[in-house]
Amino acid sequence: MGCKTNDELLNLVTEAKKVTSYGHVADYIPALSKADRDDLSVAVYHVDNTCTYAGNVEKLFTLQSISKVLALALVLKDYGKDYVFTKVGMEPTGDPFNSIVKLETINPSKPLNPMINAGALAVTSMIVGKSNEEKFERLLQFIQQLTNNQAIHYCEEVARSEFETSWLNRALCYFMKQHGIIEGSVEELMDIYTKQCSIKMHSLDLAKIGAVFALDGIHPETEEKIISKDIARICKTFMTTCGMYNASGEFAIKIGIPAKSGVSGGIMGVSPYQFGIGIFGPALDEKGNSISGIRLLELLSEKYELSIF
Amino acid sequence: MGCKTNDELLNLVTEAKKVTSYGHVADYIPALSKADRDDLSVAVYHVDNTCTYAGNVEKLFTLQSISKVLALALVLKDYGKDYVFTKVGMEPTGDPFNSIVKLETINPSKPLNPMINAGALAVTSMIVGKSNEEKFERLLQFIQQLTNNQAIHYCEEVARSEFETSWLNRALCYFMKQHGIIEGSVEELMDIYTKQCSIKMHSLDLAKIGAVFALDGIHPETEEKIISKDIARICKTFMTTCGMYNASGEFAIKIGIPAKSGVSGGIMGVSPYQFGIGIFGPALDEKGNSISGIRLLELLSEKYELSIF
Amino acid sequence: MGCKTNDELLNLVTEAKKVTSYGHVADYIPALSKADRDDLSVAVYHVDNTCTYAGNVEKLFTLQSISKVLALALVLKDYGKDYVFTKVGMEPTGDPFNSIVKLETINPSKPLNPMINAGALAVTSMIVGKSNEEKFERLLQFIQQLTNNQAIHYCEEVARSEFETSWLNRALCYFMKQHGIIEGSVEELMDIYTKQCSIKMHSLDLAKIGAVFALDGIHPETEEKIISKDIARICKTFMTTCGMYNASGEFAIKIGIPAKSGVSGGIMGVSPYQFGIGIFGPALDEKGNSISGIRLLELLSEKYELSIF
Amino acid sequence: MGCKTNDELLNLVTEAKKVTSYGHVADYIPALSKADRDDLSVAVYHVDNTCTYAGNVEKLFTLQSISKVLALALVLKDYGKDYVFTKVGMEPTGDPFNSIVKLETINPSKPLNPMINAGALAVTSMIVGKSNEEKFERLLQFIQQLTNNQAIHYCEEVARSEFETSWLNRALCYFMKQHGIIEGSVEELMDIYTKQCSIKMHSLDLAKIGAVFALDGIHPETEEKIISKDIARICKTFMTTCGMYNASGEFAIKIGIPAKSGVSGGIMGVSPYQFGIGIFGPALDEKGNSISGIRLLELLSEKYELSIF
């Protein structure tokens, strides 16, 4: 078992940073565009409750698409997998994460998996709660539990900015509303979804969530069983088959670490029974994944043989 | 020049009615589903200001998709074709009228033509007016002018019903808003669009509008030039290439009359320099066209050689 | 009725030639790439058996896609429209002429119309004959009859060149063979089809064929009824809705002349009861239509009001 | 480590057989249609060179799509991954295994992964050899080495039958030839490919190949290193993300065993460092996977916790 000293990580971060100049910070959300392209931090949270890291691992960033896997875990807890998978499928797609085409061409209409935007919106629409506030509060508490950090909150500025510009996500929602996949107010769903995407944390928090998945749902600090082994397994499977947008297949072949990325530049990785990984590197490649984050995971996977395959 | 006696028309209507039992009344809008499947009426308004007809040609129905060609004529008047065709294309598609696929797969995103829903929504979004009310008022006045009938209004029940259920059209709108094809509030656009689709008239009114197109834009009663010859020509071309949903090609081959249909069962046809045709037959075929209306136009076209080809 | 002097045509040709520099000669077939980009000739064959022209109207070129409408006329004669339209549809598509996508996505699989490659291959596969030689011979004789010119033959060099490189057309054929749309040997079909595309003529011949369609199937010179009025009408309809690749809709709106183009730079146009038009201008626009040929038809249509709409 | 007695397996086979009546034997190849729908056999070849089994594990069947992963391993040995992945991608698709659509819509054209037919044909076209015979001979020898069984051969009847009817695969080949993904004669490629699909073995052989992958490329009997650890890993990854047609995602979620199926009803599974699995159950579900084979793997995975996630 490796990856146990900060120096090892620092060397890999230094190497991985070389590719940041080939990436671009997401610019479609003003708040994201202010990020520093050259940032790269990584935290590795071991199942034995130790942590190694490199870079500024306390810099906050928003989860964006990483939140998809957490919302999925919550609704799987709420409803069980049988119901959840009547609303969203389990198949990877070869399409971009925001594509609407297959909602029309597949019969009956159903988002192919919960990691593409359509599927993630369907998942969020299932969060239990009497009001929109209660639904979001439940998600937030779940994430506070996963990080064992009550200070986790969302960034109002980013949430508002996304709420005011997410036309494509609204198109996906209305298409699914037409086909009975989601119900209720699209604006309310957009409100929760943009808040969910705007939940802030730092690499250390993110690594800790990864460690919960690495331990089949048990929190390494609190030893609490937060999610069942079955749900942890389902989430890791989706991270492997669909976690890195439409570069997931290549990532599985080359790196083989269950991982989920977001356009803020975050990546959460899982090395089962070893550790969780939290990365923040805001320069993105053309598929929307952190360019230096992927390079770092490639170096980690090679050095410590982390591929699950 | 034929089609000059009511008896001729009545014979054809009797023949055409035989196919109504193979059709179905649109049921996705409650107000439409109340229509009588066996209804069939036709009015032929000649350019010499005479009119022949058969059936109850004063029964009111809503325009639905027939309104697309009238809104197009209005925005072509307002903006000229150069601007209008930056927002909507001129090509027929082989896809259903409510398809969203090509908005994603064609680059840059642009609805292929103004007769599919996406294109029609883009057209309606261009209607000039300081407020939503003014925009709709202008369209209504234009249609009153085309029919020379100040009593033309819209059906509030149908408009409300469509406004409350048009999720797919909202999906199209938001997708286009994402790509800068439409601007402003989608809900306001849906308000005008559903009112536009709910404008009521009867076969006689509709035939009169057809006669305006047959006379290159001049009203046969008032002799007023309502639209330019160029705009009349453009509208007739779209009616020919895209007017009958994705059965337009077959209709052009078999019948060859520039025509536009709506899911209420209305069809407006044009025989250039001869007459306009207004039909109401609410039983639809599987493509959404009036089944007896199409049969009637086929009989008319064969008997009087009305194909423009 | 205009277009009666060579001087009028020469002025329009001079004007139209200005756009040739924006076009490109087809380069995927070596024999075609040798064409002179600045060439432009036009012949107008009037139904009164007179002819006006400008440019070198005796320069030979290959028909390419123009042959699609002639093969269609022949199989409609051979089999009648009912059978032919079980194998090929009547709907325009918004897709490129060589697209294979809709053969998979439309159920049951059937080429949407006879002017796209898939549909044209299905049409050619229907030509009657005991052997491949007899089938092609029958098509050639039909075209000799349409031009009243026994010298019409095909260019072996172009045919061979196309036969040796038409991988995409073979893909279309095998896909259709899988779905029972075509039967028999694909290589034999490719042999006829590439010969068909390589049939050579000049603008005068082509204008004469246009005149046959303008006269509802009667040859202006021989006064022979070569095809029925119904077949002539069907062909003119397809030329209008699908004749100019996926620019057909725009061409119908702007110009409104039933026309069929080929990648050699030829265009055959029809002004019903007036004349046929034959054009050769090898510089193509990005859709594969003669760039100066389209400009010339636009000038002709505006000057003489040739739009059928 | 479980699955060590034949009795355990027999119980699971008995349970799994209950679903065979919901499946159908492949009927598009006459030789396959003769299979007995109720057959189900399984062999588990442990890395310690022991074997457990249930059912008639010496009944021969053809590999069909299972051969895709073996041909991939061979060309990865021949060329290295860098070259191979210039011709074929690494991404799962949501499309059927024989789909052609993405070859047209993805730019540049490239099959998304080596487990769909297009990708598998591209892979087979890369097998090294001076002649077609030599290429196939090399593949056969490689498979004989993987099974440690010199008697492995192909079924001429099945190969001929597939060669004479594989029109869709020819369409895929010609489409790829057009885009430079494959070169040379399509008929020769079809000859190798249909022979490859027709290679016969029984469950025991198949389980042994699975064991080679389970041991990172080392044969459990001969202790020979047949493929590198890297190639074994790549193959297991593709089996996980794309091995079960467009049910791969669901299979990964529910079962989580790297596996590859074929329409003959065979499935090869891998439990890393434990054993290889060979299954033959010719009744297929609607996606083309052995219906009782999938049920059996589900029972095995649950009982022995075989999911890699």
Side-chain angles (χ1 to χ4, degrees):
Chain A
M1 197 179 286
C3 210
K4 293 295 281 181
T5 74
N6 293 346
D7 282 354
E8 285 170 74
L9 281 177
L10 191 57
N11 286 339
L12 299 178
V13 162
T14 305
E15 174 68 23
K17 266 194 170 182
K18 292 178 183 167
V19 301
T20 54
S21 59
Y22 300 104
H24 295 90
V25 166
D27 55 4
Y28 66 94
I29 305 168
L32 295 186
S33 68
K34 295 178 214 152
D36 180 352
R37 195 179 70 166
D38 292 324
D39 261 351
L40 181 62
S41 69
V42 59
V44 175
Y45 201 93
H46 298 263
V47 295
D48 64 5
N49 250 325
T50 61
C51 183
T52 41
Y53 54 86
N56 180 355
V57 292
E58 298 198 350
K59 188 174 264 191
L60 293 169
F61 54 92
T62 55
L63 285 180
Q64 302 301 332
S65 290
I66 301 173
S67 70
K68 291 170 178 173
V69 74
L70 310 181
L72 174 66
L74 180 60
V75 302
L76 285 170
K77 277 185 74 159
D78 282 354
Y79 284 104
K81 58 190 173 185
D82 288 348
Y83 177 76
V84 170
F85 292 129
T86 63
K87 297 293 187 186
V88 64
M90 298 180 239
E91 296 306 318
T93 85
D95 303 318
F97 67 97
N98 55 13
S99 178
I100 202 165
V101 171
K102 282 223 172 65
L103 284 181
E104 179 174 322
T105 57
I106 293 215
N107 187 8
S109 181
K110 188 167 135 177
L112 258 76
N113 68 66
M115 299 296 117
I116 54 174
N117 281 15
L121 288 159
V123 163
T124 296
S125 79
M126 283 185 267
I127 294 174
V128 169
K130 289 199 201 73
S131 66
N132 230 30
E133 289 67 33
E134 187 180 319
K135 289 174 187 180
F136 179 67
E137 196 54 39
R138 289 191 66 246
L139 176 64
L140 196 59
Q141 283 170 5
F142 178 61
I143 293 176
Q144 288 169 346
Q145 203 183 3
L146 284 167
T147 52
N148 192 27
N149 179 352
Q150 301 304 310
I152 298 286
H153 217 272
Y154 76 99
C155 174
E156 283 189 42
E157 182 195 353
V158 171
R160 195 180 326 108
S161 171
E162 297 194 13
F163 184 82
E164 286 166 2
T165 56
S166 290
W167 313 123
L168 195 46
N169 281 342
R170 280 174 173 86
L172 292 167
C173 285
Y174 278 111
F175 202 99
M176 291 191 286
K177 191 171 166 73
Q178 174 77 25
H179 287 86
I181 302 161
I182 66 173
E183 287 166 21
S185 159
V186 168
E187 290 304 306
E188 291 199 359
L189 174 53
M190 288 305 301
D191 176 59
I192 310 185
Y193 186 74
T194 51
K195 284 177 181 159
Q196 165 190 319
C197 289
S198 305
I199 290 172
K200 278 183 303 188
M201 61 179 67
H202 47 50
S203 315
L204 274 172
D205 291 318
L206 196 56
K208 223 177 275 180
I209 303 180
V212 176
F213 287 109
L215 277 172
D216 291 340
I218 295 168
H219 199 286
E221 285 178 310
T222 65
E223 293 185 9
E224 191 186 359
K225 179 106 195 158
I226 303 180
I227 49 174
S228 70
K229 184 173 177 178
D230 197 38
I231 291 176
R233 189 181 50 74
I234 290 172
C235 291
K236 281 180 282 187
T237 310
F238 277 126
M239 291 165 77
T240 305
T241 57
C242 327
M244 304 299 280
Y245 303 121
N246 53 336
S248 300
E250 184 175 352
F251 187 86
I253 291 288
K254 291 188 176 165
I255 297 171
I257 297 172
K260 182 74 206 83
S261 65
V263 288
S264 54
I267 304 179
M268 174 176 70
V270 179
S271 180
Y273 312 113
Q274 293 202 80
F275 46 72
I277 305 168
I279 288 176
F280 176 57
L284 306 180
D285 63 23
E286 76 284 355
K287 297 283 178 80
N289 294 310
S290 170
I291 193 165
S292 55
I294 286 204
R295 179 70 184 123
L296 179 59
L297 287 167
E298 192 177 20
L299 294 169
L300 280 165
S301 180
E302 280 169 10
K303 181 155 184 181
Y304 303 112
E305 296 205 329
L306 301 180
S307 171
I308 64 167
F309 296 104
Chain B
M1 197 180 284
C3 207
K4 294 295 281 183
T5 74
N6 293 347
D7 283 352
E8 286 170 75
L9 281 178
L10 192 56
N11 287 337
L12 299 178
V13 161
T14 306
E15 175 68 22
K17 266 194 171 183
K18 293 177 183 168
V19 300
T20 54
S21 60
Y22 300 105
H24 296 89
V25 166
D27 55 5
Y28 66 93
I29 304 167
L32 296 185
S33 68
K34 295 177 214 153
D36 180 353
R37 196 178 69 165
D38 292 324
D39 261 352
L40 180 62
S41 70
V42 58
V44 175
Y45 201 93
H46 297 263
V47 296
D48 64 4
N49 251 327
T50 60
C51 183
T52 42
Y53 54 87
N56 181 356
V57 292
E58 298 199 349
K59 187 173 268 192
L60 292 170
F61 54 91
T62 56
L63 286 179
Q64 302 301 335
S65 290
I66 302 173
S67 70
K68 291 170 178 174
V69 74
L70 309 182
L72 174 66
L74 179 59
V75 302
L76 284 170
K77 277 185 75 160
D78 282 353
Y79 285 104
K81 59 190 172 184
D82 288 347
Y83 178 77
V84 170
F85 292 129
T86 62
K87 299 291 188 187
V88 64
M90 298 179 240
E91 296 306 318
T93 86
D95 303 318
F97 68 96
N98 55 13
S99 179
I100 202 166
V101 170
K102 282 225 171 66
L103 284 181
E104 179 174 321
T105 56
I106 293 214
N107 187 5
S109 182
K110 189 167 136 177
L112 258 76
N113 69 66
M115 298 297 117
I116 53 175
N117 282 15
L121 288 159
V123 163
T124 296
S125 79
M126 284 186 267
I127 295 174
V128 169
K130 290 198 200 73
S131 65
N132 229 32
E133 289 67 32
E134 187 181 319
K135 289 174 187 179
F136 179 67
E137 197 52 42
R138 288 191 65 245
L139 176 64
L140 196 60
Q141 284 171 4
F142 177 62
I143 293 176
Q144 288 169 347
Q145 202 182 3
L146 285 167
T147 51
N148 193 26
N149 179 353
Q150 301 304 308
I152 298 286
H153 217 269
Y154 77 98
C155 174
E156 282 188 42
E157 183 196 352
V158 171
R160 195 180 326 110
S161 172
E162 297 196 12
F163 184 83
E164 286 165 3
T165 56
S166 290
W167 314 122
L168 196 45
N169 281 342
R170 281 173 173 87
L172 292 167
C173 285
Y174 279 113
F175 201 98
M176 291 191 285
K177 190 170 167 73
Q178 174 78 26
H179 288 86
I181 301 161
I182 66 172
E183 288 166 22
S185 159
V186 167
E187 290 304 306
E188 291 199 0
L189 174 54
M190 287 305 301
D191 176 60
I192 309 185
Y193 186 73
T194 51
K195 283 178 181 159
Q196 164 190 318
C197 288
S198 305
I199 290 172
K200 278 184 301 189
M201 61 179 66
H202 48 48
S203 315
L204 274 171
D205 291 318
L206 197 56
K208 223 178 274 180
I209 303 181
V212 176
F213 287 109
L215 277 172
D216 291 340
I218 294 167
H219 200 287
E221 285 177 311
T222 65
E223 293 185 10
E224 189 184 1
K225 179 106 194 156
I226 303 179
I227 50 174
S228 70
K229 184 174 178 178
D230 197 38
I231 291 176
R233 189 181 49 75
I234 290 171
C235 292
K236 281 179 282 188
T237 310
F238 277 125
M239 291 164 77
T240 305
T241 57
C242 328
M244 304 301 279
Y245 304 122
N246 53 336
S248 300
E250 184 175 351
F251 187 86
I253 291 288
K254 292 189 176 164
I255 297 171
I257 297 173
K260 183 75 206 82
S261 65
V263 288
S264 54
I267 304 179
M268 173 176 70
V270 180
S271 180
Y273 312 112
Q274 292 202 81
F275 45 72
I277 305 167
I279 288 175
F280 175 59
L284 306 180
D285 62 22
E286 75 284 354
K287 297 283 178 79
N289 294 309
S290 171
I291 194 164
S292 55
I294 286 203
R295 178 71 184 123
L296 180 58
L297 287 167
E298 192 177 21
L299 294 168
L300 280 165
S301 180
E302 279 169 11
K303 180 158 185 179
Y304 303 112
E305 298 205 325
L306 300 181
S307 172
I308 63 167
F309 296 105
Chain C
M1 195 179 286
C3 209
K4 293 295 281 182
T5 73
N6 293 346
D7 283 352
E8 285 170 75
L9 281 179
L10 191 57
N11 287 339
L12 299 178
V13 162
T14 306
E15 176 67 22
K17 266 196 171 182
K18 291 178 185 167
V19 301
T20 53
S21 60
Y22 301 105
H24 296 89
V25 167
D27 55 4
Y28 66 92
I29 305 167
L32 295 185
S33 68
K34 294 178 214 153
D36 179 354
R37 194 177 72 166
D38 292 324
D39 259 353
L40 181 61
S41 69
V42 59
V44 175
Y45 201 94
H46 298 263
V47 296
D48 64 2
N49 250 325
T50 60
C51 183
T52 43
Y53 55 87
N56 180 356
V57 292
E58 299 199 349
K59 188 175 266 193
L60 293 170
F61 54 90
T62 56
L63 286 179
Q64 302 300 335
S65 288
I66 302 173
S67 70
K68 291 170 177 174
V69 74
L70 310 182
L72 174 66
L74 179 60
V75 301
L76 285 169
K77 278 185 72 158
D78 281 353
Y79 284 104
K81 58 191 172 186
D82 289 348
Y83 178 76
V84 170
F85 292 130
T86 62
K87 298 291 186 186
V88 63
M90 298 180 241
E91 295 307 318
T93 86
D95 303 316
F97 67 97
N98 55 12
S99 178
I100 202 165
V101 170
K102 282 222 172 67
L103 284 182
E104 179 173 321
T105 58
I106 294 214
N107 187 6
S109 181
K110 188 167 136 177
L112 259 77
N113 68 66
M115 299 295 116
I116 53 175
N117 282 15
L121 287 160
V123 163
T124 296
S125 79
M126 283 186 267
I127 295 175
V128 169
K130 290 198 201 74
S131 65
N132 229 32
E133 289 66 34
E134 186 181 320
K135 289 174 186 178
F136 179 66
E137 196 54 38
R138 287 192 65 246
L139 177 64
L140 195 61
Q141 283 170 6
F142 178 60
I143 293 177
Q144 288 168 347
Q145 202 183 4
L146 285 166
T147 51
N148 192 25
N149 178 353
Q150 301 305 309
I152 298 286
H153 218 270
Y154 77 99
C155 174
E156 283 188 42
E157 182 196 352
V158 170
R160 196 180 325 111
S161 172
E162 298 195 12
F163 184 83
E164 285 166 2
T165 58
S166 290
W167 314 123
L168 196 46
N169 281 342
R170 281 175 174 86
L172 293 165
C173 285
Y174 278 112
F175 201 97
M176 291 191 285
K177 191 170 166 73
Q178 175 77 24
H179 288 86
I181 302 161
I182 66 171
E183 288 166 19
S185 159
V186 168
E187 290 304 305
E188 290 199 0
L189 174 53
M190 289 304 301
D191 176 60
I192 308 186
Y193 186 73
T194 51
K195 283 177 182 161
Q196 165 190 320
C197 288
S198 305
I199 289 172
K200 280 183 301 187
M201 61 178 66
H202 48 49
S203 315
L204 274 172
D205 291 318
L206 197 55
K208 223 177 274 180
I209 302 181
V212 175
F213 287 109
L215 276 173
D216 292 340
I218 295 168
H219 199 287
E221 286 179 308
T222 65
E223 294 185 13
E224 191 186 359
K225 180 103 191 159
I226 302 179
I227 49 175
S228 71
K229 184 174 179 178
D230 197 38
I231 291 176
R233 190 180 49 74
I234 290 172
C235 292
K236 280 180 281 185
T237 310
F238 277 125
M239 290 164 77
T240 305
T241 57
C242 325
M244 306 299 281
Y245 302 123
N246 54 335
S248 300
E250 183 175 351
F251 187 86
I253 292 288
K254 292 189 175 165
I255 297 172
I257 297 173
K260 182 75 206 82
S261 65
V263 289
S264 54
I267 304 178
M268 173 177 71
V270 178
S271 181
Y273 311 112
Q274 292 202 78
F275 44 73
I277 305 168
I279 288 176
F280 175 58
L284 306 180
D285 62 22
E286 74 285 355
K287 297 283 179 81
N289 293 311
S290 170
I291 194 165
S292 56
I294 286 204
R295 179 70 185 123
L296 179 59
L297 287 167
E298 192 177 21
L299 294 168
L300 280 165
S301 180
E302 281 169 10
K303 180 155 186 181
Y304 303 111
E305 298 205 329
L306 300 181
S307 172
I308 63 167
F309 296 104
Chain D
M1 196 180 285
C3 210
K4 294 295 280 184
T5 73
N6 292 346
D7 282 354
E8 285 171 74
L9 282 177
L10 191 57
N11 287 338
L12 299 177
V13 162
T14 305
E15 175 68 22
K17 266 195 170 181
K18 292 178 183 167
V19 301
T20 53
S21 60
Y22 300 105
H24 296 89
V25 166
D27 56 4
Y28 64 94
I29 304 167
L32 295 185
S33 68
K34 294 176 213 155
D36 179 353
R37 195 178 70 166
D38 292 324
D39 260 351
L40 180 62
S41 69
V42 58
V44 175
Y45 201 94
H46 298 265
V47 296
D48 64 4
N49 250 325
T50 60
C51 183
T52 42
Y53 53 86
N56 180 357
V57 292
E58 297 199 349
K59 189 174 264 191
L60 292 170
F61 54 90
T62 56
L63 286 178
Q64 302 301 334
S65 289
I66 302 173
S67 70
K68 291 171 177 172
V69 73
L70 310 182
L72 174 65
L74 179 60
V75 301
L76 284 170
K77 277 184 74 159
D78 281 352
Y79 284 103
K81 58 191 173 187
D82 289 347
Y83 177 77
V84 170
F85 292 130
T86 62
K87 298 292 187 185
V88 63
M90 298 181 241
E91 296 307 318
T93 85
D95 304 316
F97 67 97
N98 55 13
S99 177
I100 202 164
V101 170
K102 282 223 172 66
L103 284 182
E104 179 173 321
T105 58
I106 293 214
N107 187 5
S109 180
K110 189 166 134 178
L112 258 76
N113 68 64
M115 298 297 115
I116 54 174
N117 282 15
L121 288 159
V123 163
T124 296
S125 79
M126 283 186 268
I127 294 175
V128 169
K130 290 199 199 74
S131 66
N132 230 33
E133 288 68 32
E134 186 181 320
K135 289 175 186 178
F136 179 66
E137 195 55 38
R138 288 192 64 244
L139 177 63
L140 196 60
Q141 283 171 4
F142 177 62
I143 293 176
Q144 289 169 345
Q145 203 183 4
L146 285 166
T147 51
N148 193 26
N149 180 352
Q150 301 304 310
I152 299 285
H153 217 271
Y154 76 99
C155 174
E156 282 189 43
E157 182 195 352
V158 171
R160 195 179 326 111
S161 173
E162 297 195 13
F163 184 83
E164 285 165 3
T165 56
S166 290
W167 313 123
L168 196 45
N169 281 342
R170 281 175 173 85
L172 292 166
C173 286
Y174 279 112
F175 202 98
M176 291 191 284
K177 191 170 166 72
Q178 175 77 27
H179 288 86
I181 301 161
I182 65 172
E183 289 166 21
S185 159
V186 167
E187 290 305 307
E188 290 199 0
L189 174 54
M190 289 304 300
D191 176 60
I192 308 185
Y193 186 73
T194 51
K195 283 177 182 162
Q196 165 189 320
C197 289
S198 306
I199 290 172
K200 279 183 300 187
M201 61 178 68
H202 48 49
S203 316
L204 275 172
D205 291 319
L206 198 55
K208 224 177 274 179
I209 303 181
V212 175
F213 287 109
L215 277 173
D216 292 339
I218 294 169
H219 199 287
E221 286 178 309
T222 64
E223 295 186 8
E224 191 186 358
K225 179 105 193 158
I226 302 180
I227 49 175
S228 70
K229 184 174 178 178
D230 197 40
I231 290 176
R233 189 181 49 74
I234 290 172
C235 291
K236 281 180 280 186
T237 310
F238 277 124
M239 290 165 78
T240 305
T241 57
C242 325
M244 303 300 280
Y245 303 123
N246 53 335
S248 300
E250 183 175 352
F251 188 86
I253 291 289
K254 292 189 176 165
I255 298 173
I257 297 173
K260 183 75 206 81
S261 65
V263 289
S264 53
I267 305 180
M268 173 177 71
V270 179
S271 181
Y273 312 113
Q274 293 201 79
F275 44 72
I277 305 167
I279 289 175
F280 175 59
L284 307 180
D285 63 22
E286 76 284 355
K287 298 283 178 81
N289 294 310
S290 170
I291 194 165
S292 56
I294 286 204
R295 179 71 184 123
L296 180 59
L297 287 167
E298 192 176 20
L299 295 168
L300 280 166
S301 180
E302 281 169 10
K303 180 156 185 181
Y304 303 111
E305 298 205 326
L306 300 182
S307 172
I308 63 166
F309 297 104

